[in-house]
Amino acid sequence: MKILVTDPVADAGIQRLRAAGHDVETAYDVEGEELLDAVADANAMVVRSGTEVTEAVFEAANDLVIVGRAGIGVDNIDIDAATDHGVIVANAPQGNVRAAAEHTVAMTFATARSIPQAHERLRDGEWAKGEFLGTEVNGKTLGIVGLGRVGQEVAKRLGNLGMNLVAFDPYISEERADQLGADLADDLADCLDRADFITVHTPLTPETENMLGAEELAQLEGGYVINCARGGIIDEPALAEAVESGTLAGAAIDVFAEEPVSPDSPLLDVDDIIVTPHLGASTEAAQENVATSIADQILSAFRGEPVMNALNAPSMDESAFPRVRPYIELADTAGKIAVQLFDDRVEEIEVSYAGDIAEEDLDLVTASALKGVFEPLEWQVNAVNAPSIAEERGIDVTESKSRSSEDFQSLVTVTVRNDDDEVSVCGTQFAGGDPRIVRIDGYRVDAIPHGHMLVAHNEDVPGVIGFIGSTLGDADVNIAAMFNARETIGGEALSVYNLDDQPSADLLQALTDDERIIDVSHISLNGAAEDDEATESAD
């Protein structure tokens, strides 16, 4: 596999990918057509904040499996376009959390005590001791806008240094805020009214862009602003004006709306605004952590395993994956069988779980079931874009769970339906990694889901199974295994055949021409192509 690295990352991550046998190519500072050419045959990309991964990149990279962001922020990656193209986007949110939190604390003290300004004055030969009257953080209130990973680490550190904590985050629970010793503000205005210092820890989104403008900064009169999150969250001209005019006592800024920051930025002209060039994650440990984290996630994607920090694909806890893994392919297979048996317009897909498996986090399994349903329809689909394909096409998707299962330890059922008809396929996993299809539309079977399968719905009368077998034999199609089920004696029956070769259209027509056979379907599953190639090689 080819992995393209377009921004500098720690060598530990690159070496981990190369040690796994992959080709790692570095192409720093490429953009435009050069970037599109470089990524054309790549299977993975590793970027930081310097590379813009646009829809054009995904259009140019047909083999791309994953884009790994060696860090937290992903506003330079078009995640919607990635999802449309079935490409995983993953970041490394834990690797630089501690570094970003520590830099935030450092910037808080730096602006409260005017440390850089005093340093420069002394270097210029001035003993300006009387001109710098600092502010103690002890007893002051720190307003935290965004109580995510970094915000929580900042809360722990500055809370332990005697600051009172108030947080604004509509996505955090009261219980978690209490654990951190923070009061939850009703809204941003409430947080600003109560704070002496404000530190920002939100992603840059349309909702957070310029979230702190002139009006909001005026509410923090006499206070301090620290931003080590993302540029663009604070209105930079408004911040410069607020500090210059004395509305705010100071600010410390590590990130900018445009990076590298323009020499004309108003933030660079105000003495009481401390600036650093996006150093929040710039520690040796942090850079190594994010590089190895992304390398591990790329390797997981290549192996078809869950990507733990995927932003646009279902994920799960690493410890749960061994329990769930066998059901991922089983759900995919059940979906393929269901849609090939259905042979009609799909309006709804239901994925049901029963037994022990129902206790797990199954988003990835459900996404795999959707992939299985859509794949025979020849859409470019995988577990990343299958949920969005369903949404785009107006197909309702439901998931249900039941902890009780009549006959099996765990069951996965995929049902496709519309207003007129439905087909259900139920599968389980036997010991030793042995998947089986155990029900089709209520008929109890014990079918091996592999290669070419023939599903026949027929009247339960003598001679039908013999007729099917002889017709297949006359066509030189060997039966590898066969399973039969019926509703009642003399009613209707369903039989499933594993075949060594694909039945021709003429063969299927010959079967359905018999009045005892209601319908017959050929199912092609994983392994069918390999079986055909093996037969051709033998010939």
Side-chain angles (χ1 to χ4, degrees):
M1 295 283 200
K2 176 183 172 181
I3 300 159
L4 179 67
V5 183
T6 58
D7 294 309
V9 297
D11 193 55
I14 292 175
Q15 292 307 316
R16 187 165 296 190
L17 294 168
R18 286 177 173 156
H22 300 294
D23 176 25
V24 181
E25 178 181 312
T26 58
Y28 303 149
D29 300 324
V30 293
E31 57 184 19
E33 290 299 323
E34 284 186 330
L35 175 59
L36 300 184
D37 290 341
V39 79
D41 59 346
N43 304 106
M45 285 183 73
V46 178
V47 303
R48 293 184 66 194
S49 59
T51 301
E52 292 292 325
V53 188
T54 63
E55 184 171 7
V57 172
F58 296 109
E59 290 282 356
N62 292 328
D63 298 324
L64 201 59
V65 175
I66 181 172
V67 174
R69 164 64 163 100
I72 297 178
V74 290
D75 41 285
N76 56 313
I77 303 172
D78 188 335
I79 296 179
D80 289 338
T83 302
D84 289 342
H85 288 80
V87 179
I88 300 168
V89 177
N91 65 352
Q94 297 288 2
N96 57 15
V97 166
R98 184 176 291 108
E102 289 184 359
H103 194 64
T104 301
V105 172
M107 294 286 267
T108 301
F109 278 101
T111 187
R113 301 303 298 269
S114 301
I115 293 172
Q117 297 94 323
H119 168 81
E120 285 300 317
R121 294 282 290 276
L122 189 56
R123 287 284 299 270
D124 290 341
E126 296 183 57
W127 186 263
K129 181 178 180 180
E131 296 184 29
F132 294 103
L133 186 64
T135 297
E136 293 184 15
V137 300
N138 181 59
K140 300 299 190 299
T141 297
L142 175 69
I144 306 172
V145 180
L147 202 57
R149 293 181 179 92
V150 178
Q152 291 184 26
E153 292 299 316
V154 171
K156 293 173 187 175
R157 285 160 174 76
L158 289 176
N160 286 333
L161 292 173
M163 296 196 79
N164 303 311
L165 306 176
V166 58
F168 169 62
D169 189 329
Y171 305 103
I172 200 78
S173 69
E174 186 108 26
E175 180 181 4
R176 182 56 181 150
D178 287 343
Q179 291 171 352
L180 295 164
D183 291 333
L184 275 184
D186 295 332
D187 50 33
L188 178 60
D190 181 33
C191 185
L192 292 166
D193 283 339
R194 296 164 63 182
D196 301 298
F197 291 75
I198 282 287
T199 179
V200 177
H201 300 287
T202 70
L204 179 63
T205 67
E207 291 74 26
T208 63
E209 186 173 8
N210 288 329
M211 180 171 61
L212 294 178
E215 183 178 342
E216 290 78 17
L217 295 172
Q219 289 183 253
L220 192 66
E221 186 175 359
Y224 299 83
V225 171
I226 301 96
N227 185 12
C228 297
R230 304 302 291 174
I233 296 171
I234 301 174
D235 183 330
E236 293 177 355
L239 178 61
E241 171 61 26
V243 177
E244 179 73 27
S245 66
T247 300
L248 295 178
I253 305 298
D254 184 50
V255 290
F256 303 88
E258 178 187 341
E259 294 185 358
V261 66
S262 168
D264 298 328
S265 170
L267 299 179
L268 304 183
D269 295 328
V270 182
D271 288 341
D272 288 325
I273 297 179
I274 298 166
V275 291
T276 53
H278 205 147
L279 299 181
S282 295
T283 68
E284 185 175 345
Q287 292 307 300
E288 183 167 321
N289 288 341
V290 297
T292 56
S293 173
I294 284 300
D296 288 342
Q297 293 184 80
I298 288 172
L299 296 177
S300 292
F302 286 169
R303 292 191 297 263
E305 297 175 356
V307 176
M308 295 308 151
N309 294 310
L311 301 174
N312 64 336
S315 187
M316 68 179 61
D317 186 83
E318 190 172 6
S319 63
F321 181 61
R323 298 191 298 274
V324 172
R325 181 174 190 168
Y327 295 92
I328 295 173
E329 185 172 354
L330 180 64
D332 180 299
T333 300
K336 288 177 183 174
I337 295 173
V339 77
Q340 290 180 73
L341 289 175
F342 191 58
D343 194 28
D344 201 348
R345 186 183 70 258
V346 177
E347 295 179 349
E348 183 181 346
I349 302 169
E350 180 180 359
V351 187
S352 304
Y353 303 97
D356 292 351
I357 190 65
E359 298 181 9
E360 304 291 347
D361 178 359
L362 298 168
D363 287 350
L364 181 58
V365 183
T366 297
S368 295
L370 299 181
K371 170 183 174 290
V373 170
F374 294 139
E375 196 167 26
L377 304 179
E378 298 183 1
W379 298 338
Q380 186 178 358
V381 61
N382 57 24
V384 176
N385 60 13
S388 63
I389 287 175
E391 183 177 356
E392 290 166 4
R393 295 182 176 268
I395 296 173
D396 293 330
V397 178
T398 58
E399 179 184 299
S400 62
K401 295 181 178 182
S402 172
R403 297 197 176 181
S404 61
S405 176
E406 293 180 6
D407 303 313
F408 300 94
Q409 187 171 352
S410 292
L411 287 172
V412 176
T413 304
V414 179
T415 302
V416 295
R417 63 170 64 96
N418 57 29
D419 289 340
D420 301 319
D421 199 7
E422 71 174 41
V423 170
S424 291
V425 176
C426 182
T428 192
Q429 190 76 27
F430 289 169
D434 186 13
R436 293 297 175 93
I437 299 302
V438 295
R439 289 196 190 99
I440 296 177
D441 273 348
Y443 289 95
R444 178 71 177 267
V445 297
D446 185 12
I448 300 169
H450 179 82
H452 297 292
M453 299 174 66
L454 186 75
V455 179
H457 187 202
N458 54 271
E459 295 177 0
D460 182 35
V461 295
V464 177
I465 291 176
F467 167 72
I468 293 174
S470 62
T471 304
L472 289 169
D474 291 343
D476 202 27
V477 176
N478 189 55
I479 299 173
M482 179 264 184
F483 314 91
N484 186 62
R486 64 185 180 185
E487 293 177 333
T488 59
I489 297 175
E492 293 182 358
L494 184 132
S495 52
V496 181
Y497 303 83
N498 286 104
L499 307 178
D500 287 344
D501 300 293
Q502 178 175 343
S504 67
D506 289 342
L507 173 55
L508 297 177
Q509 187 62 52
L511 292 171
T512 54
D513 283 346
D514 190 283
E515 62 182 12
R516 298 167 297 179
I517 295 178
I518 299 167
D519 58 61
V520 64
S521 301
H522 165 239
I523 307 297
S524 179
L525 298 176
N526 296 336
E530 291 89 337
D531 292 343
D532 292 342
E533 289 171 5
T535 301
E536 291 169 6
S537 298
D539 293 343

